[in-house]
Amino acid sequence: MGTKENKSPWIRVSDQLPEDGELVLTRLEIYDFEPKLNVYNAYYKVWDTEDGDDLDCPMDDDSWMPIPSFDDILNDNKDVLKRLKEL
């Protein structure tokens, strides 16, 4: 049997960056890794914040993830929903 992989949804910016203009959830060193919504601006290589600020990207330990859709959340929690229905 193989070892179970870490299924973290967070993607390190050193591994991959989002599409240009994509709104994503970020964990940035500048915010002490508190999750915040930001848009990646590929032309200037910065995060555009909701306040209109530009934050340098990437910093070594920064990470991001796509915003999950409602369907993704339901699919990820099928076992929980099944157990709740059985109660």
Side-chain angles (χ1 to χ4, degrees):
M1 277 188 264
T3 59
K4 187 175 180 180
E5 280 186 47
N6 181 4
K7 291 277 192 170
S8 172
W10 295 101
I11 301 165
R12 292 178 61 96
V13 294
S14 57
D15 294 336
Q16 180 184 344
L17 287 165
E19 296 292 319
D20 182 40
E22 183 178 0
L23 178 66
V24 295
L25 192 58
T26 59
R27 293 180 66 212
L28 307 179
E29 184 176 348
I30 195 167
Y31 292 133
D32 294 324
F33 302 105
E34 180 182 332
K36 299 218 181 245
L37 292 173
N38 289 302
V39 173
Y40 180 62
N41 181 325
Y43 183 79
Y44 292 105
K45 294 184 173 52
V46 295
W47 296 109
D48 292 332
T49 70
E50 60 187 12
D51 298 331
D53 294 329
D54 291 339
L55 303 174
D56 287 339
C57 176
M59 301 304 268
D60 289 343
D61 294 325
D62 291 347
S63 58
W64 65 278
M65 67 178 277
I67 300 170
S69 71
F70 186 70
D71 288 340
D72 292 338
I73 294 168
L74 284 177
N75 283 334
D76 289 346
N77 292 287
K78 280 182 183 175
D79 58 328
V80 175
L81 294 171
K82 183 178 179 184
R83 279 184 296 197
L84 287 173
K85 285 181 181 178
E86 292 170 355
L87 293 178

